[in-house]
Structures are given as structure tokens and as C-alpha cells.
Amino acid sequence: MAVDPSQVEDALAAVVGAAHVEVGDAVGVDLTHDEALGLGPVRPLGVVHPGSTDEVAAVVRWAADVGVPLTARGSGTGLSGACLPRSDGLVVAFDRMADIVEIDPDDQVAVVRPGVTLAQLDAETDAHGLVYPVFPGESSASLGGNVATNAGGMRAVRYGVTRHNVLGLTAVTGRGDVIRTGGRFVKSTSGYDLTQLVIGSEGTLALTTEAILRLHPRLTHGATILVPFPDLEHIAAAVPRVVASGIGPTILEYIDLVTMGAITANVGLDLGVPPDVQAAALAYLVVVLESRTEARVEEDTAELAALVGAMGALDVYVLPSGAGAALIDAREKAFWTAKAAGAHDIVDVVVPRSRIPDYLARCQELAAQHESLVVGCGHAGDGNVHLSVFQPDDEVRSRLMSAVLGTGVELGGAVSGEHGIGRSKKRYFLESVDPTAVELMRGIKATFDPAGVLNPGAIFD
Amino acid sequence: MAVDPSQVEDALAAVVGAAHVEVGDAVGVDLTHDEALGLGPVRPLGVVHPGSTDEVAAVVRWAADVGVPLTARGSGTGLSGACLPRSDGLVVAFDRMADIVEIDPDDQVAVVRPGVTLAQLDAETDAHGLVYPVFPGESSASLGGNVATNAGGMRAVRYGVTRHNVLGLTAVTGRGDVIRTGGRFVKSTSGYDLTQLVIGSEGTLALTTEAILRLHPRLTHGATILVPFPDLEHIAAAVPRVVASGIGPTILEYIDLVTMGAITANVGLDLGVPPDVQAAALAYLVVVLESRTEARVEEDTAELAALVGAMGALDVYVLPSGAGAALIDAREKAFWTAKAAGAHDIVDVVVPRSRIPDYLARCQELAAQHESLVVGCGHAGDGNVHLSVFQPDDEVRSRLMSAVLGTGVELGGAVSGEHGIGRSKKRYFLESVDPTAVELMRGIKATFDPAGVLNPGAIFD
């Protein structure tokens, strides 16, 4: 539909104040994209910066009334194009709703508004000896964005993902209704779980305006352990043993040879692995152990070393704390390393963790068939595989991506473990998912958003 | 609608075989009720025992076509009337679909069909050194029923509830379509989470025919610790400190004086608490600690003792293992003790755990106002309060229940923590929940079950 920009500006200014609306050229270029590869920027009609749940509800009611699409935006660090604006729509930016409402140490919850960043929350919870344990690797990401994409990250093997750590929401549906779901408790069987439904829905069902987050005791002792292996099959065989041992690692990552070289070179990190071991190692396992006491960390480290030693590890290195932190940091920046290296697309498939070697072997076959380079790392404990795909030809790459993602689903996995579908993986998602499930999702969408104004075109059309 | 019973029998026999259908008087009396208090038995038109997902789908398609309501039934141990049949409907009994399809130690999952009992699964996982950690207290309960009610239990403080331990489902929607959700992985952001939507939906959205369950390493060392306190306020103050300590108890229960007397007398259990301590104790905290080594259990026990001692505990008793197991068992049977004592209704409210004393104090006021007796115990770590309500007059009890449940919601809680709404708590649920949320639930229901044949009348009308 055609909406007159000046009418848009006036209508929104009446809701949030003229200072909090921009239209046309006043819209900053930062708001025209997220970090998804391969999607060009899109300039929206305008941007509105609501200051309260009520203002968000009023904006949505207006938008539903006139039929203007709304794209919610936190920090814009997403990797799937879920907050890419539409040229006929508005961005709802949550930068004015960026305060931590409360840290409640007794119920161990934080109540946050959607614009709060992970870094901001981490500093605040640290002061209480608590932690919000979802670290998707980009600490400037917003909690609203984390809820929308069900963000994961390396600590999921111990603490689960966003879904497991959000207890309740205040959200505005596409009808402009405010709903409050869940609460300061971890269990409830009181009707359908709308909290879980909104989490991971990428802004298509409701706009989150407040979230109740579960906090955990912050563990103060830890060790980062680097374990070179001859190949990934050995790592895949070792991982179930590590999980079954009950050691309970906080992080359990594999990194392939190319990626290890790239991410360490990128930050000038020397991990002290001797040349002969480096020469024999085709893959690395990185384990972070954390506990309440130093003695337990040491005990767990010894147990882990014995266990991986028996599973074919080439050696075991307990990294000095500086190097350990630098390696984890470098791993978190793997996406940026891949982007800087010119990767054309990224993969975030999840498969049953026992299928990782099989999956990666098939990906290498597919890469060879398509004369492309596919390298990566991933959350070995979760079966979440991150790959960088290098293939400049759009058509070839599209076929390769289709095969790579379809193979993951074929092995019992899903297209996205934590980035989301957004716009960049929509085609592959629709290719691989059961049409009956998509039909149900469309029905749910129509219930929450009958006018279809919340992020239309994300996940499915 | 009026359906001819002989037509029903013929139609169902064509799907599942004549041996697996009963109609009229052939329906066993066991199938006419669950364990909810205050709901009389209802004799259904008939019972069908499907043997496969395909047969379930065919039954649902037929039912949707002719408009016959279907009530799914596992073991019938539910406490909210969610599997109470309808006189104009059929029971779908899952006793023929009761096999463990697979235990996969590498991916640490079990794949089960809905009729499998918790006892059956526990024996099988034990052989692998693994555990499915949801223990709602009734080991004859079925996994299908656990999924339908999002069952919880005492170990939720450590492992979460059913929702956190079910990774994927095969289910038949009210349209008779088979959907497969999730998989052998703990994370995914690939469209709306239909697994989470079906869990806790009490058979109103889809009939689960297979579930993928997350298993955990089975811990082999543990201790049960009994801590008498002068009153519940002291327990409520101690619980957040226990949680914040990082000790990570497997069980963290409070039991009030009356309930402790009843459940221990019921099984003739003497916990060895001296009379002077008994006289001073108005409430008890029960803690189970589990770990990989005996040394850690001892260390954690000492830390816990110091912590609760500083928070006003009257003493700390590490129970001999036989007595510890007997106390936990007696606590699990608290419902049966209450029922045997003549309780007229039960409460399963969840509140933020810091609000437990406030909530219970208000409940005592309400009990006094209504000349009723209200006593109980609960999951102190989760804020899940179980109360037995003694008040024979239906009308007075109804007003009291309304006030007791409404107060829980007013304090930031929800009507049911783990039993579900079913038919027995429907009125109170609809009184307390936001109508906007119920409207969304109705829309979701219509999407999954347009003919309204899946357990109509449960949760909402």
C-alpha cells in the first residue's frame, strides 16, 4: 500500500513525540541492515523509537490499521536478516527502552527492557554474583534480539539457550494487544506456553517490551583446555564420553584446522602447541570447565585429560588464563574472521551431535562437487555446526547451500540452531521443513497478527 | 451430536481391528476417571487402542469428520481431570503404544511411545548410567501424560520440568495430520517451536505418538538432609541463599508441620528428630544433594549445614540412606495421604519463590475466613505450592479455591505449576488469566483442531 510519509510522521509523532520519529533521508544507514551476509541494505519509510509498552501498542494498532509493516530492531547484530527493514515499512527501534528494570537476587531473575545489551546486563548481574548465562558471542546484542532469535552460543551445552532462560514476557501482538506471559518462576502448566511461542519467532508474532530472565550463580573458578585431535571423528567419539562423564563443561567446541589458524592469526594468538602436534592435528576440541572451587576445577581437568587421552587426543593443554580467554574471544569472533576473509554465506545447521562427522564429511563432498570452500567450527556438545561458505557465484552457492542445509535436515537436524531463519535462510527452511508444520505456523501467525504487519516476509511469506 | 454406537464400533474396528475397540458396557471403569478430586467418573461412548501413529491419525480424521470428541489417556494418574472422558466422546488409550523405541547413549536421548511409564523408562535408562530426570512423584505415570501436562516434580529445581527435557515430538493434530517437531538436539531456531506448544496443552492441540527425551548422566552419590526450622519465613529466607550458593540441590522441598506428621505417620517413618526440636519446628526443609563423588557430597553437605545454620535452622540431620529414601517416597505420596485424610481439593499454585511465606500466610487467613483447613508442602526452590483443602461444603470451598488461586496469581504466580488446568481448575484459570491470552490460545486451538474434537472442555471451553 502507498502511505504518505508526512502522514506517517504525524501519526507516529502523536504517539511517541516528534523527537522520536525519523522518516525518509533522516533514517540512519545503520538501521538499513543487520549482519546477515548477502542481503543488501533496505531503506525503510521511517523509524519510530517508542519509550514504553503502551507506546509500542499504540504504534502497532496504528500500523495494523493502515497496513504498514513493522520490523523490530534491537542492536542489529543478527545474522539472518530478521531485522532487515522493508521499503514499505517502519523500523521499531528499542534504543529508548534499554534499562534493566530490576535484578532480584531472591528469585534470581532480571527484568529487562528489550534494548538492554548483553554487556550491560553482564556488568550488572556480576555485581550480584549472578550471571545470565546465554552468551551468543556478540555482547553488544540486545536482549530483545536474543528473545526474537532464541540466541544460543557456546555456553548452551551447560545452560541451554535463550528459550531455557526466559521465564516471562510482556509483548505486544500484531493486534496491538499487550500480553503478559509466564512470571518469576520456572514451571507452569496454565494454558499454552505463549512465552515459548514468542521466543524465536523473529518479531513475527509479537514485539517483546519486557523480559523476565533467569539468572544463575556466577562461577568464579575455571580452566580453558585445548585438545588437539588427529581428526574430527575422534572428537565426535570423545564428546559423548565427556558429556556422559558428568563433568559438565561450560563450553565444548570443536574448531577445524583452517578456522583455528584463521581465528588465532586474526588476533595474533600463540597457544603454545608444538609444531609436531600442530602438524598432526586436523581438529581441536576446546573445553571450558567451571566450578565453585579451584580444587574441583583441577579434579575435573585431570578427569577430562584422562578421558580425552583415552579417546585419542594428541595432547592436552591447560591454557594460561589470558590465552584461554583470548581463544574463547577469538572463537566468538569467528563470524567476523570469516566475513573479513570474504566468506559469501554462513551455515548454522544443528544435527544430532553424533552425526557431526558424517555431516561434515558430506559437506566436504558437496563443497568439492561445487568447487567451493567450506570450513568451520561449532558447538560440539550441541550438534550446532557453523560453516563459512566461499563461493562467489550466486547460483552455484545457492545450490550448494540448499544441499548443505538439506543434508543437515536429512540427518535429523534443523536449518538453524541459533541464528534464525529471517530472510536469508527462508528458502532453505521452506525447502526442508514439513509443509504441515508451516501451515500450522501460518495459522498461529494469523492469530497473533491478523493484519500481517509484524515482520512480514521473515521465516515464511 | 448423536452417533450410533455400533457405527462407532465398526468405523474404529476398520482402523485398529475389532480386538482394540470397546464400546458401551465393555468400557472398563478405570477409564472413566483420573485422580482429580471432586470430579465424578464419566462413561465414554467407547475406547480405542491404536497401535501406531498412522492408526491414531486415521482415528482423528474419522473423529473430526463425524464430530466425535477424543480424550487421550496414558496411565490416568493426572490430578486435574485432563483425561476425564466425555459421555459423547471416545477415549484414545495408549496402552498398546508403550515401548521404548531407542536409548541412544551418544546423543543422550530416549525415544519413547506415549504409553511408556516413568518406571519402565527409569529401569531402562539406569542400565545405561543415564536418567530421565523428571520425577513427578508417580512412577506409573505415562510419558504421553507427562508431555500433555508438562509434568514437574521434586527434581525440577535442578533439571527443569518436562518442557526442558523433551526435545521433539511426533504428534497428530486435530486435522489428523502427523507432525514431527524438534529432534535429537537441544537448540533450534527454525520457525515457531511447536514442540513447546504441544507440551502442556493437555491433549487439546495434538496427540503425542512419540517423544524424544533428553537424558542426563545418572549421579550415583547423594545425601538426604532434613532441616527443621522455627517457621516458614526462615525457610523462605534460606532458600535463595541455598540456590545462590551454587551447591545445586537435586531436591529442595518445604513441608509444613501437619503434612510432615501425616506423611511420616502414614508410612510409620521415624526420622530421629528429638522431641524438643520437633516441638520448636513449625516447618521442615528437605534437601537432596547429589554429585559424582562421595567426597563432593560430603563437602556440599557441610557447606549446606553451615549455610542453613546461619539462617536459623534448629538443627541439621543427614538421614541414613534408608530413611532418606523413605522420606522422599513419603513426600511423593503426599497426594495420597491427603486424599486418604479426606481432602476435598488440592492446590498446585506456583508463585515467585520469595513470595511463598506471604502467599501461605494469606492462604491461612483465607482458610480461617472460610472455616476451612489448608495445609501442605511444596517445591521451595521452584515456588510451587501444594496445598490440601479440607472444606466439605461445595459452595464455600469453591469461593475459597477461587480466593486461594486468585491470590497466587495476584502475587505474580500461575494457577497450576505442574498438574495442569484440565477440567478441575478451568473456572479458576479463566477467572485469573488475561482474556487476551485466552483469546490467543483459542486461536491456536482452532488452527490445530478446527473441528474441536481434541479434548474439548479442557483448559477452556
Side-chain angles (χ1 to χ4, degrees), chain A residues 104-379:
Chain A
D104 174 345
D106 282 351
D107 290 325
Q108 285 203 357
V109 298
V111 182
V112 301
R113 297 213 290 171
V116 169
T117 66
L118 290 169
Q120 191 184 342
L121 179 63
D122 197 51
E124 188 77 18
T125 53
D126 194 14
H128 290 83
L130 297 169
V131 67
Y132 176 68
V134 182
F135 288 82
E138 177 54 59
S139 60
S140 72
S142 73
L143 267 306
N146 272 236
V147 169
T149 57
N150 187 28
M154 288 195 276
R155 284 161 175 80
V157 69
R158 179 167 190 152
Y159 293 104
V161 297
T162 301
R163 176 173 306 296
H164 307 107
N165 291 286
V166 172
L167 304 177
L169 297 173
T170 304
V172 177
T173 70
R175 297 169 187 263
D177 291 328
V178 178
I179 53 171
R180 288 180 179 81
T181 71
R184 297 182 189 204
F185 43 78
V186 297
K187 65 197 304 194
S188 167
T189 304
S190 302
Y192 309 154
D193 196 325
L194 303 181
T195 310
Q196 293 295 333
L197 193 54
V198 171
I199 295 171
S201 67
E202 306 191 35
T204 64
L205 295 180
L207 305 187
T208 296
T209 60
E210 198 168 284
I212 304 172
L213 310 177
R214 182 179 192 178
L215 304 178
H216 298 255
R218 188 178 286 257
L219 298 172
T220 44
H221 300 276
T224 303
I225 298 139
L226 178 66
V227 191
F229 274 93
D231 52 43
L232 201 80
E233 284 71 17
H234 279 83
I235 289 184
V239 161
R241 303 286 285 270
V242 173
V243 174
S245 72
I247 295 174
T250 301
I251 289 178
L252 190 58
E253 296 285 301
Y254 80 87
I255 305 179
D256 76 13
L257 187 64
V258 175
T259 305
M260 181 61 102
I263 67 174
T264 52
N266 200 37
V267 293
L269 180 62
D270 179 2
L271 297 168
V273 180
D276 61 321
V277 176
Q278 278 191 42
L282 287 183
Y284 291 83
L285 186 66
V286 179
V287 187
V288 172
L289 300 178
E290 288 184 320
S291 197
R292 285 188 297 132
T293 70
E294 196 55 37
R296 290 194 186 185
V297 172
E298 284 169 17
E299 200 177 283
D300 290 346
T301 302
E303 190 172 337
L304 175 77
L307 200 157
V308 295
M311 297 299 290
L314 297 170
D315 208 338
V316 176
Y317 304 92
V318 181
L319 299 179
S321 67
L327 175 60
I328 297 302
D329 193 52
R331 164 62 190 86
E332 287 187 333
K333 293 189 169 58
F335 166 72
W336 299 106
T337 309
K339 188 176 178 182
H344 299 96
D345 207 343
I346 55 172
V347 169
D348 164 47
V349 155
V350 63
V351 293
R353 68 172 168 248
S354 65
R355 310 305 299 268
I356 290 180
D358 189 12
Y359 178 62
L360 292 180
R362 293 215 210 174
C363 287
Q364 288 313 321
E365 283 168 30
L366 291 168
Q369 282 164 24
H370 293 79
E371 297 179 334
S372 308
L373 177 66
V374 173
V375 294
C377 52
H379 311 305

Side-chain angles (χ1 to χ4, degrees), chain B residues 174-188:
Chain B
R175 298 170 186 261
D177 291 329
V178 178
I179 53 171
R180 289 182 178 79
T181 70
R184 298 183 188 203
F185 43 78
V186 298
K187 65 197 304 197
S188 167

Side-chain angles (χ1 to χ4, degrees), chain B residues 258 337-346 367 370-376 387-393 397 400:
Chain B
V258 175
T337 309
K339 188 176 178 182
H344 299 97
D345 208 344
I346 53 171
H370 292 78
E371 297 178 332
S372 309
L373 177 65
V374 173
V375 295
L387 299 170
S388 300
V389 176
F390 296 81
Q391 170 50 261
D393 186 278
R397 189 175 68 249
L400 173 60

